[in-house]
């Protein structure tokens, strides 16, 4: 990839994106410029050849792909710090939660390709689920951003009106999965395992279950059928979980998170 990438806001997410790009060899370290006001925390990336700066406009001037990774309340001020440097060579990619493409476009006051991306925290280990929405982007822009985030996990291109839903299912989803795993650990300890072993068994079992779906493209119920024998222990446990409202509580939780975003 010959295009230079500026990451504006080298915090948790911005640094994780830089780390992932380096590990996947998507681009050379010298093709990444990452900024924040206090650059001391970016020393590790700097030592590996990434350009570290506190000058947003210089970073944007030197790049073609601009990834905005600041907090939502910082967007307006930060865009103001570099919008003069934006021109037709750029694509703006925002990972900022809740800021609409139209608001980004009106803040930069220029007609540029804009992408909104919603990754999750597994981006730190290149296992993110990232949903992307584009406006004004040509096929080569879409392909470029798709390839970039594909080095950091899986990607789905969606309509922007599904971005709140993507936030719930893809980003909040990490927390829901953690609670599910934690409950398994608690149950595992009750039936005899120490906490460390229960953690390993619960996490690897969930990882394996997810990989079965991703690799085989099967439906969860097909995989459940393979585990449930008539009158067996799996179906007895599963049915008890359903009597206690397992699926219903998850669906209601997802809807509650979604309503919290859209209705406040
Ligand atoms: N974490 C996630 O998994 C995740 C997932 C999806 C979306 N998001 C979104 O991604 C964004 C970033 O999240 P985060 O967790 O990475 O937040 P964060 O750790 O607070 O990172 C934001 C960074 O922006 C820097 N910054 C602030 N003002 C700046 C300026 N004027 N110029 C350059 N850099 C500046 C801050 O560093 P200084 O104070 O040193 O400048 C800070 O390190 C948020 O909008 C969040 O909603 C996060």
């Amino acid at each position: 990839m010959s295009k230079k990438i500026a990451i504006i806001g080298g915090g948790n997410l911005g640094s994780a994106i830089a780390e992932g790009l380096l590990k996947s060899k998507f681009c050379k370290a010298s093709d990444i410029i990452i900024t924040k006001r206090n650059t001391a925390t970016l020393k590790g990336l700097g030592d590996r050849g990434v350009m570290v700066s506190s000058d947003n406009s210089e970073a944007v001037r030197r790049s073609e792909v601009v990834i905005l990774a600041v907090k939502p309340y910082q967007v307006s001020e930060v865009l103001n710090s570099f919008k003069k440097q934006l021109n037709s060579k750029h694509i703006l990619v925002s990972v900022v939660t809740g800021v609409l493409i139209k608001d980004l476009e009106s803040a930069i006051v220029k007609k540029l390709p804009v992408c909104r991306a919603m990754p999750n925290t597994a981006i730190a280990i290149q296992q993110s689920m990232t949903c992307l929405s584009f406006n004004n982007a040509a096929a080569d822009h879409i392909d470029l951003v798709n390839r970039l985030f594909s080095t950091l996990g899986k990607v789905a291109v969606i309509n922007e009106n599904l971005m709140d839903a993507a936030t719930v299912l893809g980003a909040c989803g990490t927390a829901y999965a953690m609670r599910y795993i934690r409950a398994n650990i608690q149950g595992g300890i009750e039936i005899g395992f120490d906490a460390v072993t229960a953690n390993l068994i619960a996490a690897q079992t969930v990882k394996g279950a997810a990989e079965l779906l991703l690799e085989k493209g099967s439906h969860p119920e097909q995989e459940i059928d393979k585990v449930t024998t008539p009158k067996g222990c799996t179906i007895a446990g599963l049915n008890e979980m359903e009597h206690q409202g397992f699926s219903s509580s998850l669906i209601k939780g997802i809807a509650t998170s979604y309503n919290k975003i859209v209705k406040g």
Side-chain angles (χ1 to χ4, degrees):
M1 233 266 319
S2 57
K3 294 199 187 310
K4 292 211 183 322
I5 300 168
I7 301 170
I8 307 295
N12 295 317
L13 189 54
S15 307
I17 291 172
E19 291 281 352
L21 294 176
L22 284 181
K23 275 194 198 141
S24 66
K25 301 200 173 23
F26 181 77
C27 57
K28 291 183 287 182
S30 56
D31 285 341
I32 305 173
I33 311 171
I34 185 162
T35 71
K36 70 197 286 286
R37 290 165 301 185
N38 168 16
T39 57
T41 55
L42 298 175
K43 187 175 178 309
L45 286 169
D47 290 345
R48 283 144 71 199
V50 172
M51 193 175 152
V52 170
S53 171
S54 55
D55 186 341
N56 293 337
S57 52
E58 173 68 359
V60 169
R61 203 180 55 73
R62 296 170 76 120
S63 64
E64 284 87 32
V65 180
V66 177
I67 301 178
L68 183 65
V70 295
K71 293 282 193 207
Y73 66 86
Q74 296 165 324
V75 166
S76 167
E77 181 199 331
V78 173
L79 281 176
N80 274 332
S81 72
F82 66 74
K83 70 180 180 192
K84 281 201 187 113
Q85 274 64 46
L86 287 171
N87 59 47
S88 57
K89 74 170 180 171
H90 289 108
I91 173 164
L92 178 65
V93 181
S94 166
V95 295
V96 181
T97 310
V99 177
L100 303 177
I101 290 177
K102 71 174 172 54
D103 295 332
L104 294 165
E105 288 174 336
S106 56
I108 59 178
V109 209
K110 270 172 205 157
K111 202 167 162 62
L112 290 182
V114 176
C115 170
R116 207 174 139 195
M118 176 51 63
N120 65 31
T121 50
I123 204 164
I125 53 161
Q126 293 86 58
Q127 287 294 336
S128 177
M129 178 64 232
T130 305
C131 291
L132 302 173
S133 297
F134 293 88
N135 194 33
N136 219 2
D140 56 338
H141 289 128
I142 296 173
D143 178 61
L144 171 71
V145 177
N146 220 310
R147 281 189 293 115
L148 189 156
F149 281 99
S150 293
T151 68
L152 303 164
K154 305 257 186 240
V155 170
V157 177
I158 61 169
N159 283 327
E160 195 188 12
N161 62 11
L162 279 173
M163 222 11 127
D164 291 336
T167 306
V168 172
L169 208 58
C172 307
T174 303
Y176 310 147
M178 292 297 172
R179 267 298 162 81
Y180 171 77
I181 293 171
R182 191 189 77 169
N184 272 278
I185 295 168
Q186 290 170 311
I189 295 168
E190 190 168 327
I191 60 174
F193 287 109
D194 64 85
V196 174
T197 311
N199 194 325
L200 172 68
I201 294 173
Q204 176 60 27
T205 302
V206 169
K207 183 181 176 200
E211 289 289 346
L212 279 174
L213 300 182
L214 290 170
E215 282 191 20
K216 295 179 17 176
S218 51
H219 187 278
E221 216 53 38
Q222 280 174 284
E223 299 300 329
I224 288 173
D225 284 347
K226 293 177 190 164
V227 193
T228 46
T229 42
K231 290 192 167 186
C233 63
T234 312
I235 193 65
L238 270 180
N239 284 347
E240 178 60 21
M241 288 175 194
E242 292 300 345
H243 292 318
Q244 299 292 335
F246 180 65
S247 294
S248 173
S249 74
L250 290 177
I251 296 163
K252 281 186 175 172
I254 288 168
T256 300
S257 291
Y258 182 75
N259 286 333
K260 184 76 186 168
I261 296 181
V262 298
K263 295 182 187 156

